[in-house]
Amino acid sequence: MMDLRLRGTRVLLGVTGSISAYKAVHLLRTFMSHGADVSVVMTQAATQFVTPLTFEVLSKHAVATDLFTGHENMPHLSLPESADIIVLAPCTANTIASYALGLANDLLSTLLLTTQCPVVIAPAMDGDMWEHAAIKGHVQVLRERGVVVLEPEVGELASGKIGRGRLPEEKTILNAVVETIRSFNDLAGHRMLISAGPTREPLDAVRFLSNGSSGKMGYALARAAEARGAEVILVSGPTNLDVPFGVELIAVNTAEEMFQALLSRFDSSTVLMMTAAVGDFRPRYVLDQKFKKRQWNGEPLELEPTTDILSALSARRTEQVLVGFAAETNDLIANGKEKLQKKRLDMVIVNQVGGPDSAFGNDTNEVAILTKNGQVNQLPRLAKHVLADKILDEIHTFTASSTVTPHESLSQ
Ligand SMILES: Cc1cc2nc3c(=O)[nH]c(=O)nc-3n(C[C@H](O)[C@H](O)[C@H](O)COP(=O)(O)O)c2cc1C
């Protein structure tokens, strides 16, 4: 049976000046054989390796190589407009750097700044170039912006050395393109309310009770959900993280402030994800001045419980999907199931806290996703940004198969 996973997809293939540019010819044919309509843009350096004519004949489209010549007046605007996805393969160190920096000094770099469509990068370069701190930094920046940057493969390089730098296998590039197209904008119409970070419960004018949550998981979810087309409101306790592009931030300190912020947006949301580590207790009495050492007569600190935000919001839900995060030190699955039932949630993500692999502060996390219909999906240790997409995949599948619909059905 024919595999037409790219049927109807308009791919803009950007070919840059790498020794592996010849492989892009075969890649073009592979995309086409999977049903894609492919147009090619080449950098000037790429034309040193393969002629535009080769791509022109095979793609049945004119190949654009220059910003100022050709039959289109403004190819940097028109070309990406008629693409569903841009694939840079092979992508040089130079093009990665210029894209990360936002330079616009040739056709390819300029059109990358005008496009709204997803971009997949298949790098190819010498191993030392790939390992260079500058390139590592640029790759991180691009990934944080939602660009899919594949890992080059290990093998013999053009220099004869063995290293990481080879253009990824064709099937890896193809799968990434199919996957990226599938997930792009799949959350459009959702309004996602995400809580993140720790809360701070004041004891006096300068001290507070808090916890070690870094907010990284919640921010990764916010960034990924926004990239997939959702409207995202991030209600965050104090963190050192940058607010992801396009995400609305409501900054809070205490559990009560977090509750009020979430409450004010809950009715108009389709999904609530509670990744925040909300303090369960707060000091019963708060001094508005600094409490001096000599003022203390040995009396214990009196605490009182804070509002159980998830339970309170669960009680007033209409159609919202509720996703809880359970930070546990032991009996992860059992405790997660209990939380799922007790708070009437749709999904609970359980993760380990405490110990060297603690979820708190780490860039990676190992979780299990429990759903209300009894499924337990144990995931391997993953980078938080990769995990964010896995969790959103589960939510997407869940909302697609349940009665929950994106927000036309909810009050604005
Ligand atoms: C023979 C040869 C092979 C090259 N191969 C690569 C490569 O695989 N990856 C890379 O990043 N640069 C490679 N370069 C360097 C790029 O061609 C050079 O940095 C150029 O400015 C890239 O321009 P572009 O990004 O606009 O295509 C190679 C250069 C030569 C002469």
Side-chain angles (χ1 to χ4, degrees):
M1 211 173 78
M2 278 205 345
D3 177 356
L4 290 176
R5 281 185 291 163
L6 290 176
R7 182 165 35 202
T9 306
R10 296 164 309 169
V11 177
L12 186 62
L13 177 61
V15 182
T16 70
S18 156
I19 191 72
S20 57
Y22 71 95
K23 295 183 184 172
V25 177
H26 200 265
L27 185 65
L28 163 87
R29 304 214 69 171
T30 301
F31 286 158
M32 290 175 71
S33 71
H34 283 79
D37 179 31
V38 189
S39 302
V40 176
V41 171
M42 299 175 79
T43 61
Q44 290 299 329
T47 64
Q48 297 287 322
F49 294 87
V50 185
T51 65
L53 182 66
T54 310
F55 289 109
E56 217 153 87
V57 171
L58 294 173
S59 70
K60 302 185 178 66
H61 292 295
V63 170
T65 57
D66 195 79
L67 194 52
F68 302 104
T69 52
H71 53 272
E72 290 276 357
N73 280 338
M74 292 205 273
H76 61 295
L77 301 179
S78 55
L79 282 165
E81 252 170 31
S82 49
D84 300 309
I85 188 162
I86 296 178
V87 183
L88 305 182
C91 187
T92 56
N94 175 62
T95 294
I96 286 179
S98 95
Y99 188 20
L101 294 171
L103 302 185
N105 48 20
D106 66 2
L107 176 57
L108 187 62
S109 58
T110 307
L111 73 81
L112 284 169
L113 299 188
T114 70
T115 188
Q116 302 298 320
C117 69
V119 179
V120 173
I121 292 183
M125 65 194 72
D126 178 68
D128 291 335
M129 288 168 97
W130 177 252
E131 295 302 335
H132 195 286
I135 296 300
K136 280 190 175 164
H138 292 318
V139 167
Q140 190 182 342
V141 164
L142 291 174
R143 285 181 175 152
E144 282 171 3
R145 280 191 209 140
V147 176
V148 178
V149 185
L150 302 176
E151 284 292 307
E153 281 168 24
V154 177
E156 191 179 342
L157 304 172
S159 61
K161 288 194 249 169
I162 306 288
R164 184 174 292 283
R166 282 173 69 89
L167 184 72
E169 288 293 324
E170 206 173 87
K171 66 173 186 312
T172 309
I173 302 175
L174 178 68
N175 285 341
V177 170
V178 171
E179 188 57 29
T180 305
I181 283 283
R182 193 184 61 75
S183 66
F184 185 70
N185 268 347
D186 62 347
L187 298 175
H190 273 290
R191 198 175 282 162
M192 298 205 166
L193 194 51
I194 303 175
S195 73
T199 55
R200 285 181 179 175
E201 305 303 331
L203 279 153
D204 65 14
V206 295
R207 301 182 182 92
F208 51 80
L209 293 182
S210 190
N211 58 63
S213 167
S214 64
K216 284 179 182 167
M217 191 67 241
Y219 279 62
L221 276 165
R223 179 176 288 120
E226 198 279 335
R228 289 169 68 162
E231 192 185 324
V232 182
I233 300 143
L234 183 63
V235 178
S236 174
T239 72
N240 293 320
L241 305 173
D242 292 333
V243 184
F245 177 79
V247 168
E248 180 187 344
L249 175 78
I250 305 180
V252 296
N253 270 308
T254 64
E256 187 55 28
E257 285 169 12
M258 183 167 276
F259 176 49
Q260 292 304 331
L262 291 170
L263 188 61
S264 71
R265 299 302 186 93
F266 182 69
D267 292 348
S268 59
S269 300
T270 57
V271 178
L272 168 70
M273 283 185 263
M274 276 298 288
T275 73
V278 184
D280 292 327
F281 304 98
R282 65 175 162 233
R284 186 180 293 278
Y285 307 105
V286 183
L287 297 175
D288 51 14
Q289 286 173 351
K290 186 180 171 195
F291 185 64
K292 299 263 189 315
K293 230 190 231 177
R294 60 181 154 71
Q295 289 175 285
W296 188 55
N297 302 322
E299 64 272 47
L301 177 64
E302 268 194 65
L303 298 176
E304 64 182 14
T306 56
T307 306
D308 181 339
I309 299 179
L310 254 184
S311 298
L313 294 179
S314 174
R316 63 176 285 136
R317 77 195 299 185
T318 47
E319 290 185 306
Q320 294 84 351
V321 173
L322 296 195
V323 183
F325 281 70
E328 304 288 347
T329 50
N330 55 302
D331 295 332
L332 270 62
I333 303 290
N335 286 333
K337 280 187 177 159
E338 193 188 320
K339 184 165 184 171
L340 191 75
Q341 280 157 10
K342 223 162 106 190
K343 303 195 178 184
R344 297 191 299 118
L345 306 180
D346 299 296
M347 217 175 275
V348 164
I349 320 294
V350 252
N351 59 127
Q352 178 106 36
V353 286
D357 288 338
S358 170
F360 275 177
N362 260 332
D363 289 328
T364 62
N365 199 359
E366 189 175 336
V367 307
I369 303 179
L370 317 184
T371 62
K372 72 170 180 196
N373 32 28
Q375 280 163 351
V376 178
N377 185 3
Q378 176 70 56
L379 297 173
R381 176 160 289 279
L382 295 168
K384 282 182 177 168
H385 70 94
V386 178
L387 184 56
D389 270 316
K390 300 254 180 242
I391 293 170
L392 292 173
D393 286 347
E394 291 271 352
I395 293 173
H396 180 59
T397 313
F398 185 85
T399 51
S401 65
S402 74
T403 54
V404 179
T405 47
H407 74 207
E408 321 59 311
S409 60
L410 294 170
S411 56
Q412 296 295 301

